[in-house]
Amino acid sequence: MAVPGARARGWAAAAKAAQRRPRVEDAGAPPSPELASRRAALYVHWPYCEKRCSYCNFNKYIPRGVQEAAMRNCLVTEAQTLLQLSGVRRVESVFFGGGTPSLASPHTVAAVLEAVARTAHLPADSEVTLEANPTSASGSRLAAFGAAGVNRLSIGLQSLDDSELQLLGRTHSANDALRTLAEARRLFPGRVSVDLMLGLPAQRVGPWIGQLQELLHHCDDHLSLYQLSLERGTTLFTQVRQGALPAPDPELAAEMYQKGRAVLREAGFRQYEVSNFARNGALSTHNWTYWQCGQYLGVGPGAHGRFMLQGTGSHTREARIQTLEPDNWMKEVMLSGHGTRKRVPLGKLELLEEVLAMGLRTDVGITHQHWQQFEPQLTLNDVFGASEEVKLLLEQGLLLLDDRGLRCSWEGLAVLDSLLLTLLPRLQEAWQQGTPSPVPGG
Ligand code: SF4
């Protein structure tokens, strides 16, 4: 068992000091393909929750009791195994997500970070985020996570309306959320994010905007807006299907989103991604890796990863999914060092489609330099420059293709899904016509 000792405390202390460094406005130029294959972000999944929220279809379990020591050992083992298999030398960021990772003990978080720092380089200023639910995150607990090495919190606030929180099956009230938020800001100044949901059944635009404005009096420098998605198998889905609740209105949700992003812009937030807003440079570098199609390792039950295996002679990146159910996952980790259930090699076109769809989610879009990392021969201009349909999108001001690269305008970002209906087939067509070259890490 890896016990956090002097080294972990040393890493956590260095990370604490690094937290005071000024932040930058963007994530910088992409590394070379060679270097990129040696770097990754790390996602750690804590699969347990106190109670099932009515809308949630994530991979989570409501246990009678958690065998935390066994879970901790397995998270540590799997992190080490995947770091070795991938040959990743530098971990840029760590994200503890769930489930409800604020229910895990800070000791577990410290043990995972120490194992990562022992196996690869985890710079002292790496972003280490923990998702926290207001009811499992008292001030002293948050401080203990900070001492364990966490330097950023993402709080699942969801709503400032108690009846909405009840409808969502959350365990906290609006007051609990605001108290946790204040405490989190005191402990992690400038490094606290909150989630707010929109598009709930019976929700109205005016009161929701009122909530957002109220939140602006309390929030830190990062905020995420998520539209409720009604998922089959959830309580909320059944309630809507049976007519106990009205179906969410997509038009109203679109109006909330448009008005919400305008309010945030007015308040000095940069919409740096479809759902994410930051000011004072407080972008999430972990999520930035996903949008830039960087490598990431997924540790824990049901976690997803995307990385290249080292030492196999293959230059193909794989999508990996870990076994979903925690007890089975633990058995597999104990048996073979990791609980990977599925490995799917990503074809080059598939990877380029991801580069396109993920990159366009950000306000920076896809720079020519970034695209070249994945496809040196077929340029963005080759793919999109001559297309009449793309020209139309450019003329409509939804898309920009210039010497920086390809990106959505402010208006385009809100309708990205519909833009991709044109852009993805165009990429596939160009791919079939072109003769692209193999790319290391591609
Ligand atoms: S706390 Fe999060 S993961 Fe757990 S049930 Fe609620 S929404 Fe799902």
Side-chain angles (χ1 to χ4, degrees), residues 48-49 51-53 55-56 58 60 62 98-100 133 170:
Y48 304 117
C49 292
K51 179 179 174 274
R52 218 171 288 277
C53 299
Y55 58 96
C56 177
F58 297 156
K60 56 10 169 128
I62 319 296
T100 308
N133 263 7
R170 303 292 294 183

Side-chain angles (χ1 to χ4, degrees), residues 132-151:
N133 263 7
T135 39
S136 57
S138 64
S140 58
R141 213 172 155 70
L142 293 182
F145 283 122
V150 170
N151 55 29

Side-chain angles (χ1 to χ4, degrees), residues 38-120:
R38 296 289 173 166
R39 295 176 175 198
L42 177 77
Y43 174 84
V44 183
H45 190 77
W46 181 262
Y48 304 117
C49 292
E50 277 174 314
K51 179 179 174 274
R52 218 171 288 277
C53 299
S54 67
Y55 58 96
C56 177
N57 76 337
F58 297 156
N59 182 41
K60 56 10 169 128
Y61 300 85
I62 319 296
R64 289 222 184 87
V66 175
Q67 298 173 288
E68 179 141 1
M71 190 67 185
R72 178 187 311 134
N73 284 345
C74 288
L75 289 172
V76 162
T77 302
E78 188 169 68
Q80 290 173 319
T81 307
L82 295 186
L83 281 167
Q84 279 152 9
L85 286 175
S86 62
V88 163
R89 296 276 173 268
R90 182 184 164 101
V91 175
E92 308 274 13
S93 61
V94 183
F95 193 102
F96 291 89
T100 308
S102 49
L103 289 173
S105 100
H107 182 49
T108 294
V109 168
V112 172
L113 292 173
E114 192 236 354
V116 173
R118 227 176 24 222
T119 319

